[in-house]
Amino acid sequence: QLCGCVCNFTIMETLDTINQCNRISGEKNPHPLVWVIDLSRSEGRLYHDSKAGFYSLVLREYECVYYPYGRKECDYSDGSVIFLAPGASYDAESAPGLLNSGGHMLIFHSSLIRHTNLSLHIGDYTFFSYARTEALHMSRREKIVFMHCLENIQKEVQHPIDKHSRELITKSIELLLDYCTRFYERQFIISCEENKK
């Protein structure tokens, strides 16, 4: 049974809608299909051991989390992003500390991107199927770009919904994912050079 902000993810097996997350966190979100979450304000209410029916991008900052999600000495350390496809779980075993206070999170439902340009190639963003130990480790500059994209999405989510909202939000998400692709390719290049050494 849901009981407002005192509930957490541990009481539910599957979170199918973003509205369920709103009720669990006790925060109000103006859009039913997309949400940008400041995890430092969630006070631990967003927790592990549930499957989500939507896409999730979780930015963890190293001053807030001990576990490095596969980060090596050659990787940047200003933040790590974990990507989860619908059906993935926020389980404590494979991703300790993932949703604890600190960092930011973008979640969006597949219904948001249906019949959009993003829906045609969401499968091209293969990092949604990566293991938690294959997280994206960002530099300070990359993290600034990532946060700027999140801020643009948040601004549009806060805007009253109109006929342009869906297209603008999905294009902003697509831009963010394209930047993540670029950052991952940079990470692969650095890792490859380090492995050669």
Side-chain angles (χ1 to χ4, degrees), residues 67-133:
Y67 190 71
Y69 300 107
R71 188 175 70 87
K72 300 179 178 69
E73 289 183 8
C74 63
D75 290 320
Y76 287 114
S77 60
D78 285 281
S80 294
V81 183
I82 294 88
F83 302 84
L84 304 170
S89 62
Y90 303 105
D91 62 285
E93 183 176 345
S94 66
L98 183 63
L99 299 182
N100 290 349
S101 60
H104 291 79
M105 184 174 180
L106 168 67
I107 56 178
F108 61 96
H109 202 276
S110 57
S111 297
L112 175 74
I113 66 172
R114 189 173 294 135
H115 305 302
T116 67
N117 185 59
L118 179 55
S119 71
L120 298 177
H121 62 96
I122 188 70
D124 296 340
Y125 301 109
T126 55
F127 39 74
F128 279 109
S129 62
Y130 288 2
R132 309 295 163 84
T133 54

Side-chain angles (χ1 to χ4, degrees), residues 7-95:
C7 297
N8 59 42
F9 282 5
T10 59
I11 63 171
M12 305 177 72
E13 290 186 5
T14 303
L15 293 167
D16 291 315
T17 69
I18 290 173
N19 282 333
Q20 287 176 297
C21 296
N22 298 158
R23 288 194 295 269
I24 290 167
S25 71
E27 294 187 29
K28 293 183 178 179
N29 180 49
H31 201 293
L33 297 175
V34 59
W35 192 17
V36 178
I37 306 167
D38 181 346
L39 292 173
S40 67
R41 296 174 57 190
S42 71
E43 300 176 2
R45 288 190 291 259
L46 300 179
Y47 204 61
H48 303 289
D49 301 324
S50 289
K51 290 185 178 180
F54 35 75
Y55 292 92
S56 306
L57 286 75
V58 185
L59 169 64
R60 296 315 322 261
E61 300 181 51
Y62 279 111
E63 58 269 27
C64 303
V65 66
Y66 171 75
Y67 190 71
Y69 300 107
R71 188 175 70 87
K72 300 179 178 69
E73 289 183 8
C74 63
D75 290 320
Y76 287 114
S77 60
D78 285 281
S80 294
V81 183
I82 294 88
F83 302 84
L84 304 170
S89 62
Y90 303 105
D91 62 285
E93 183 176 345
S94 66

